[in-house]
Amino acid sequence: GYAGRTELPDNLKILFRPVAVMTPDFRMIAEVILFSEGFKNARDLSLKITQLYKLSSEQLSPQDHYDFGMRAVKSILVMAGDLKRSQPDVEEDLTLIVACNDANIPKFVAEDVPLFNGIMADLFPGVSFPEREYDELLGGMHGYMDEHKLSHVPSWTKKCIQFYETMLVRHGVMMVGYTNTGKSEARAVINHALQRLSKQGSSNPMARPVHEYVINPKSIFMHELYGMLDVMTNEWRDGHLAVTAKNCVKAADTSSDHSWIIFDGPVDTLWIESMNSVLDDSKLLCLDNGDRLKFPDTIHLLFEVGDLSVASPATVSRCGMVYFDPKEL
């Protein structure tokens, strides 16, 4: 019922027979992933995490950019595994709580945060966890903010940190929020903070120079974005995105700098559906002429959007979400 999906014609439909499918057992999948990530108490924790997502999907407000499906669960568990390996002596409960907070809090609207915290408190009674410190990064951020005469609003600074944390685990990040909630500035602050850390020779793995490529996808036609076959000469002409992506992939071979391809414009089913393979774990951009570009880890796709009312669940689940609430400024 939306772009990117077409109804099968009847002569083809006849060849298929109806089948029944079961809902996947989230708990078992979570348990297996937790065991493979090195958790010992995987059985109890898998129960808690599936319960958390079930309760969240039932009790929190229905927003277009929320997703509590299998992909979201998987990204949290992989994140928890990374944390576990970096801090092996911390309790497993704590590691999972930190992962749940890092992955979920950034995308919630202000009203849903206390509800989510309540669910967490019920599932993990009596466990409090320390906030993580980002002294180096904050130093770089404050330097940029002072230069550009920006106020140090704590809630907005927190959003910038959440955007940075989301980028650590997802290569596709959507910054959702109305105009004038500070989405572009948040991106600029993190960009300059990382550049500054890179000059100072920081040990932070993300501290590298950043190159930004901004495209407004709605200002050009679909074929100008991805490319088209010229009917007159029968030659393929690359689109904006294809050219930018090829340059970024080529640059990634020789340097470890970050490349951010930024789509600053409303999300529309027509152009976003063609990106599902890039935003997936496979990170492949497939073009109509048969080209397949494999994106390395240094390339991030960032989207600045007002809302995701027309985006399909397939797209929403593939991206990390950071919601900029007007009330926080």
Side-chain angles (χ1 to χ4, degrees):
Y2 61 87
R5 299 278 180 280
T6 40
E7 190 74 17
L8 284 179
D10 285 338
N11 57 352
L12 190 59
K13 221 183 266 186
I14 285 170
L15 305 175
F16 294 96
R17 60 188 175 83
V19 291
V21 289
M22 299 183 325
T23 316
D25 183 352
F26 275 34
R27 196 206 62 76
M28 191 182 272
I29 296 172
E31 185 183 338
V32 172
I33 295 176
L34 281 169
F35 269 130
S36 69
E37 294 284 357
F39 283 80
K40 293 188 182 74
N41 186 18
R43 186 169 290 269
D44 296 348
L45 294 178
S46 63
L47 237 172
K48 287 185 176 181
I49 191 114
T50 41
Q51 204 55 31
L52 170 73
Y53 269 66
K54 183 170 172 286
L55 291 169
S56 299
S57 59
E58 289 166 0
Q59 295 188 10
L60 303 185
S61 62
Q63 302 285 334
D64 292 324
H65 62 275
Y66 285 3
D67 164 58
F68 297 110
M70 193 64 240
R71 261 204 193 91
V73 175
K74 175 146 192 321
S75 71
I76 274 202
L77 299 176
V78 171
M79 198 174 176
D82 289 345
L83 282 170
K84 172 116 180 99
R85 286 187 288 280
S86 62
Q87 314 161 335
D89 46 348
V90 179
E91 283 179 49
E92 294 185 344
D93 275 20
L94 272 178
T95 309
L96 197 63
I97 290 174
V98 171
C100 288
N101 273 329
D102 286 357
N104 287 305
I105 296 289
K107 67 182 174 190
F108 288 147
V109 294
E111 291 80 13
D112 283 339
V113 176
L115 285 170
F116 180 76
N117 287 337
I119 297 172
M120 287 289 278
D122 290 347
L123 287 172
F124 300 94
V127 182
S128 62
F129 70 99
E131 289 272 324
R132 273 190 292 167
E133 301 295 323
Y134 288 102
D135 298 331
E136 257 193 326
L137 188 71
L138 277 169
M141 286 166 61
H142 288 156
Y144 174 84
M145 288 159 83
D146 292 338
E147 278 169 32
H148 290 74
K149 313 261 190 307
L150 298 176
S151 311
H152 294 242
V153 181
S155 57
W156 184 76
T157 313
K158 204 168 169 188
K159 271 289 167 224
C160 297
I161 294 277
Q162 288 175 351
F163 166 61
Y164 165 76
E165 287 177 340
T166 309
M167 273 186 34
L168 290 176
V169 288
R170 294 285 186 100
H171 65 283
V173 180
M174 291 212 174
M175 306 166 83
V176 187
Y178 295 112
T179 311
N180 284 338
T181 45
K183 300 193 292 292
S184 300
E185 280 301 335
R187 195 187 75 219
V189 165
I190 293 296
N191 179 341
H192 285 268
L194 292 177
Q195 309 238 30
R196 188 169 291 202
L197 290 186
S198 153
K199 283 177 191 155
Q200 292 166 357
S202 162
S203 58
N204 185 330
M206 285 282 281
R208 300 177 203 145
V210 178
H211 308 286
E212 292 189 342
Y213 305 90
V214 185
I215 301 172
N216 179 355
K218 289 295 284 175
S219 65
I220 51 178
F221 290 111
M222 179 89 160
H223 61 80
E224 291 173 325
L225 188 63
Y226 289 105
M228 66 181 288
L229 192 69
D230 193 326
V231 188
M232 307 292 284
T233 59
N234 218 12
E235 279 183 354
W236 173 263
R237 286 162 56 184
D238 276 335
H240 268 299
L241 173 61
V243 172
T244 308
K246 281 177 181 172
N247 291 340
C248 291
V249 172
K250 203 176 288 176
D253 292 340
T254 52
S255 82
S256 61
D257 293 2
H258 286 299
S259 300
W260 293 359
I261 302 177
I262 298 144
F263 297 91
D264 193 349
V267 159
D268 187 333
T269 43
L270 293 170
W271 65 268
I272 194 77
E273 286 300 318
S274 308
M275 283 197 189
N276 282 352
S277 60
V278 184
L279 296 170
D280 226 326
D281 290 344
S282 58
K283 299 188 190 176
L284 277 175
L285 177 64
C286 305
L287 299 171
D288 279 352
N289 64 338
D291 279 1
R292 300 176 65 173
L293 294 176
K294 176 89 171 102
F295 278 23
D297 292 339
T298 49
I299 299 180
H300 282 86
L301 292 168
L302 308 180
F303 302 85
E304 287 188 28
V305 297
D307 60 47
L308 289 172
S309 53
V310 294
S312 67
T315 306
V316 174
S317 67
R318 280 175 164 85
C319 292
M321 297 286 163
V322 186
Y323 183 74
F324 286 77
D325 203 314
K327 293 174 188 163
E328 287 176 342
L329 275 185

